[in-house]
């Protein structure tokens, strides 16, 4: 009789905790389910291609470049590099760029070189004609590049080169080393425009929903809380199963 | 009892052992990929201009307009090599493609920049493309299984494979 009473009290205690945790985690469970469904269909909903422009959310994420922007002038254009995004004036032209090294204007082309690539753009529209990576360059890290006598010249750690008129091939060129590209200042207006684009580009709706799902939206404590939610759901499953097994016969 | 359970939940929390995000990873330098494709003696570079109908078809395959006006490739006899880029989630993935007689011979992930989804670099994924060609609807003839958690990267590699096959077809017309 005593044992039966003890068991009853134990079951009552589990029921109490099952209810408490169930009610407490009902809202987070709804949030997890909705964000999970959205993430499952992120491709169809184009979540990864929708960028956040809301300044409060961007500020919450602390979206500031980790290093100061670099800039050089080519003709009338200001070429700016913010982290790994390259801009010609206010237009973003390349992702994954590393260190500005030079460039120039050749016929109808605007040429910009970074440490590991050369970007050919249409002078009028700034549309990309081609990006030359290591497979198309003569080798080594690019130190400097410039236009001289209507030829595109390139200095790398492997030597000095000149390009064919259409920039298809590079030949060794015995000449003096090119001067390094001179940094230029960026106007306040241009910097504001670029920073706005940089911040927006860095944060997609997909990322926000993923962070809400994982709890990262609320910082490291959020992840920790999300883990506790998940563990609590496991607790509910386990106690639910236990209580179902211990249910009184009908 | 409940206190012990609470402590267990905290200790089991994966956030206590989580890793930080990764930066760009170069699995193979593109120049090495091209050299290897032609057993160390790659042919001269050729250019494919993306304009008119060709640009429209490329846009249809990619589901967006191509970012470049011309594409570089290497062609020798029945073999062509392509180094192409496409954004998976938010950063470009650089991949190499070798096409032989209009069929994919090899797909390789050269540079991966995203923080997640780099499982696409493994052979179990890339080997699925081998022997694939284009059907009349510009689709790959072989089914490619996705990878859970790398959906966007898988989509990007599928699009690039289709594009490489289409470009190979166009290059042979020149």
């Amino acid at each position: 009789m005593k044992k039966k009473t003890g068991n009853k009290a134990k079951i009552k205690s589990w029921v109490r905790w099952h209810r408490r945790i169930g009610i407490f985690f009902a809202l987070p469970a709804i949030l997890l389910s909705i964000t999970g469904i959205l993430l499952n269909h992120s491709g169809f909903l184009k979540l990864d291609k929708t960028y956040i422009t809301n300044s409060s959310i961007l500020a919450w994420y602390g979206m500031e470049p980790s290093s100061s922007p670099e800039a050089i002038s080519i003709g009338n254009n200001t070429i700016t590099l913010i982290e790994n995004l390259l801009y010609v004036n206010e237009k973003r032209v390349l992702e994954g760029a590393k260190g500005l090294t030079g460039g120039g204007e050749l016929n109808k082309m605007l040429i910009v070189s970074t440490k590991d690539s050369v970007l050919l753009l249409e002078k009028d529209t700034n549309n990309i004609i081609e990006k030359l990576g290591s497979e198309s360059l003569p080798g080594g890290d690019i130190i400097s590049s410039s236009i001289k006598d209507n030829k595109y010249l390139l200095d790398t750690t492997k030597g000095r080169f000149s390009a064919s008129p259409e920039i298809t091939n590079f030949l060794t060129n015995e000449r003096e080393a090119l001067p390094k590209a001179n940094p230029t200042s960026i106007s306040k207006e241009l910097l504001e425009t670029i920073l706005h684009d940089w911040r927006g580009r860095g944060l997609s709706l997909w990322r926000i929903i993923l962070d809400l799902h994982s709890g990262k939206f609320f910082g490291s404590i959020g992840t920790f809380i999300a883990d506790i939610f998940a563990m609590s759901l496991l607790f509910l499953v386990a106690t639910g199963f236990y209580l179902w097994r211990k249910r009184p016969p009908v | 009892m409940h206190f012990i359970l609470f402590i267990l939940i905290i200790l089991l929390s994966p956030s206590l052992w989580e890793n930080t995000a990764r930066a760009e990873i170069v699995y193979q330098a593109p120049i090495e990929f091209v050299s290897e494709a032609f057993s160390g003696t790659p042919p001269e570079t050729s250019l494919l201009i993306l304009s008119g109908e060709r640009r429209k078809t490329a846009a249809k395959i990619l589901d967006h307009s191509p970012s470049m006006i011309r594409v570089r490739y290497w062609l020798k006899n029945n073999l062509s090599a392509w180094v192409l880029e496409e954004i998976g989630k938010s950063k470009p993935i650089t991949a190499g493609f070798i096409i032989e007689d209009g069929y994919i011979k090899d797909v390789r992930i050269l540079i991966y920049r995203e923080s997640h989804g780099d499982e696409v670099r493994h052979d179990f994924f890339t080997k699925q493309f081998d022997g694939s060609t284009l059907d009349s609807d510009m689709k790959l003839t072989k089914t490619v299984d996705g990878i859970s958690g790398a959906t966007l990267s898988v989509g990007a590699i599928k699009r690039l494979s289709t594009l490489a096959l289409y470009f190979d077809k166009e290059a042979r017309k020149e």
Side-chain angles (χ1 to χ4, degrees):
Chain A
M1 184 68 183
K2 222 178 187 183
K3 202 181 170 191
K4 259 193 172 177
T5 319
N7 269 346
K8 261 191 176 176
K10 209 171 159 189
I11 290 170
K12 259 191 171 177
S13 164
W14 281 113
V15 168
R16 215 168 28 240
W17 277 98
H18 186 85
R19 275 188 195 150
R20 280 174 189 162
I21 292 183
I23 288 167
F24 192 73
F25 290 109
L27 271 176
I30 292 169
L31 178 78
L32 284 175
S33 308
I34 293 173
T35 50
I37 291 168
L38 289 173
L39 288 172
N40 254 354
H41 301 280
S42 60
F44 173 73
L45 296 169
K46 294 193 189 296
L47 299 180
D48 55 310
K49 297 199 167 52
T50 309
Y51 291 96
I52 303 297
T53 52
N54 182 290
S55 50
S56 309
I57 298 177
L58 292 172
W60 173 253
Y61 267 75
M63 298 291 285
E64 287 299 328
S66 59
S67 54
S68 304
E70 305 171 36
I72 58 169
S73 279
I74 299 177
N76 295 324
N77 302 295
T78 304
I79 317 297
T80 312
L81 182 72
I82 295 191
E83 291 197 334
N84 59 0
L85 290 187
L86 186 73
Y87 292 83
V88 174
N89 303 319
E90 67 279 357
K91 185 177 180 179
R92 181 175 7 92
V93 291
L94 184 68
E95 302 198 26
K98 291 175 193 163
L100 282 173
T101 54
E105 289 178 324
L106 181 68
N107 305 321
K108 289 180 178 174
M109 274 193 282
L110 169 67
I111 307 174
V112 181
S113 68
T114 65
K115 272 183 189 164
D116 62 352
S117 65
V118 171
L119 198 63
L120 312 178
L121 302 126
E122 284 181 324
K123 205 154 80 176
D124 301 334
T125 61
N126 294 337
N127 287 333
I128 303 174
I129 298 170
E130 195 188 355
K131 181 195 159 195
L132 281 66
S134 70
E135 71 285 3
S136 311
L137 293 169
D141 283 349
I142 298 171
I143 302 165
S144 185
S145 80
S146 183
I147 308 289
K148 206 173 178 187
D149 300 328
N150 223 25
K151 271 189 177 174
Y152 180 58
L153 307 177
L154 190 75
D155 285 3
T156 78
T157 49
K158 290 261 175 85
R160 292 163 198 170
F161 305 89
S162 72
S164 58
E166 290 297 309
I167 327 285
T168 45
N169 298 304
F170 288 87
L171 294 169
T172 311
N173 192 222
E174 292 303 324
R175 56 173 167 77
E176 282 190 5
L178 296 169
K180 287 196 175 175
N182 277 330
T184 190
S185 58
I186 315 163
S187 71
K188 205 179 165 190
E189 295 78 29
L190 179 61
L191 186 61
E192 270 308 306
T193 312
I194 290 175
L195 276 175
H196 188 263
D197 181 84
W198 179 87
R199 288 187 185 114
R201 183 66 183 171
L203 194 60
S204 65
L205 189 55
W206 179 87
R207 175 69 195 269
I208 297 279
I209 293 173
L210 181 68
D211 287 354
L212 279 171
H213 191 75
S214 66
K216 281 182 182 168
F217 186 83
F218 304 102
S220 51
I221 188 76
T223 317
F224 182 70
I225 292 168
D227 287 344
I228 294 175
F229 286 161
M231 295 298 194
S232 302
L233 285 176
L234 290 177
F235 172 81
L236 288 177
V237 171
T239 51
F241 183 70
Y242 172 76
L243 294 171
W244 174 75
R245 290 260 310 180
K246 297 282 179 186
R247 73 195 187 284
V250 183
Chain B
M1 172 67 184
H2 297 119
F3 178 73
I4 294 168
L5 199 74
F6 179 72
I7 297 293
L8 259 176
I9 286 171
I10 290 175
L11 289 177
L12 287 171
S13 165
S15 64
L16 295 179
W17 342 298
E18 78 172 9
N19 291 323
T20 49
R22 282 167 296 175
E24 170 182 307
I25 301 173
V26 179
Y27 293 108
Q28 187 178 25
I31 194 167
E32 285 171 17
F33 169 77
V34 174
S35 178
E36 194 187 314
F38 297 96
S39 311
T41 51
E44 283 280 300
T45 308
S46 304
L47 294 172
L48 189 71
I49 307 296
L50 303 185
S51 59
E53 204 51 45
R54 188 179 287 160
R55 192 168 184 83
K56 279 184 196 167
T57 310
K60 205 176 155 190
I61 291 169
L62 289 172
D63 205 20
H64 61 82
S65 187
S67 57
M68 315 280 168
I69 291 169
R70 69 186 201 192
V71 178
R72 208 162 275 242
Y73 66 97
W74 295 261
L75 177 69
K76 197 160 139 187
N77 304 323
N78 55 347
L79 208 73
S80 71
W82 304 81
V83 175
L84 303 171
E85 275 186 3
E86 172 72 339
I87 291 176
K89 187 172 74 199
S90 59
K91 291 179 180 173
I93 303 168
T94 307
F97 300 87
I98 302 172
I99 314 290
E100 189 175 38
D101 293 319
Y103 290 85
I104 292 177
K105 190 187 174 197
D106 196 10
V107 174
R108 221 171 286 176
I109 307 305
L110 306 177
I111 306 171
Y112 196 84
R113 300 172 180 90
E114 308 273 21
S115 57
H116 296 91
D118 68 342
E119 294 87 349
V120 291
R121 76 183 191 277
H122 293 299
D123 279 357
F124 76 81
F125 174 70
T126 55
K127 287 282 172 214
Q128 297 182 90
F129 291 91
D130 293 1
S132 196
T133 188
L134 291 181
D135 64 15
S136 53
D137 294 329
M138 289 282 168
K139 302 262 185 242
L140 294 172
T141 51
K142 282 194 167 182
T143 308
V144 175
D145 294 330
I147 302 172
S148 174
T151 315
L152 298 174
S153 297
V154 167
I157 302 305
K158 278 186 187 176
R159 292 195 293 278
L160 285 183
S161 304
T162 311
L163 196 66
L165 284 165
Y166 172 65
F167 282 170
D168 172 78
K169 216 169 158 184
E170 289 295 297
R172 288 173 195 284
K173 285 183 192 168
E174 299 228 317

